[in-house]
Amino acid sequence: MQSRLGLAAHQGLNRLAAREHAFLARLNGVRLPGWEVGLLRFASRAGDGIFWYALMLALIAWRGQGALPAVLHMIVAGLAGTLIYKWLKGATERPRPYQACPAICCLTAPLDRFSFPSGHTLHAVVFSLVATAYYPALGWLVWPFTALVAASRLVLGLHYVSDVLVGALLGGAVAALALAL
């Protein structure tokens, strides 16, 4: 049985989801060319971690031991983000949009069962903020990718707008805290 806080959060998220269904159904139903859906699927899968791990390895290859503080910072912030989003997903148990609304199609397989918050967006923001704090010149690469990851979660039917927004806010907070420490 959920706690009062968990039950209240669950009910609030359900009401919010009902308001978001029509928008997501329109967004999900947009007839994108195959290459655009493919790009969003690629961004979603690369956002599973592959892109960020490759970036960390590239930083080490490029800067050697000088990149270790940035990479370690990214790892610690990423682990903190994982703990937060996994706890929230378990506490809220918000179904994914395609599970709750028949008009929304799932266009790629999700990594887990629940939608709130978007862990992909949370981590994309965390890693982008930490990486660009150390290497501002990487902004041209990481921020467009972060935007693609966030958009992919909506268009592919995996998340609500509120999932993505809260994921971005949490990612910003985790990165800010990690950088402050």
Side-chain angles (χ1 to χ4, degrees), residues 1 4-5 24 51 63 71 77 102-103 120-121 128 136 144 158 175:
M1 177 145 174
R4 277 189 195 199
L5 178 60
L24 285 173
F51 179 87
R63 305 291 288 187
V71 169
H120 280 72
T121 305
S128 293
L158 299 171

Side-chain angles (χ1 to χ4, degrees), residues 20 56-57 72 114 132 135 137 155:
E20 293 183 68
M56 290 180 222
L57 290 173
L72 290 175
F114 302 116
T132 56
Y135 302 104
V155 174

Side-chain angles (χ1 to χ4, degrees), residues 14 28 31 40 45 89 100-101 119 124 127 132 138-139 151 179:
N14 284 342
N28 181 251
R31 300 290 178 239
L40 292 170
R45 284 298 157 228
K89 283 192 180 211
C101 180
F127 292 136
T132 56
L138 287 175
L179 291 168

Side-chain angles (χ1 to χ4, degrees), residues 6 22 24-25 39 59 67 100 119 121 140 164 166:
L24 285 173
L39 176 64
L59 287 173
T121 305
W140 70 269
V164 170
V166 170

Side-chain angles (χ1 to χ4, degrees), residues 13 20 36 41 64 67 71 74 106 112 123 138 148 158 162 167 180:
L13 287 173
E20 293 183 68
E36 288 181 9
R41 282 186 178 129
V71 169
M74 290 172 75
C106 179
D112 55 34
H123 283 98
L138 287 175
L148 268 178
L158 299 171
S162 52

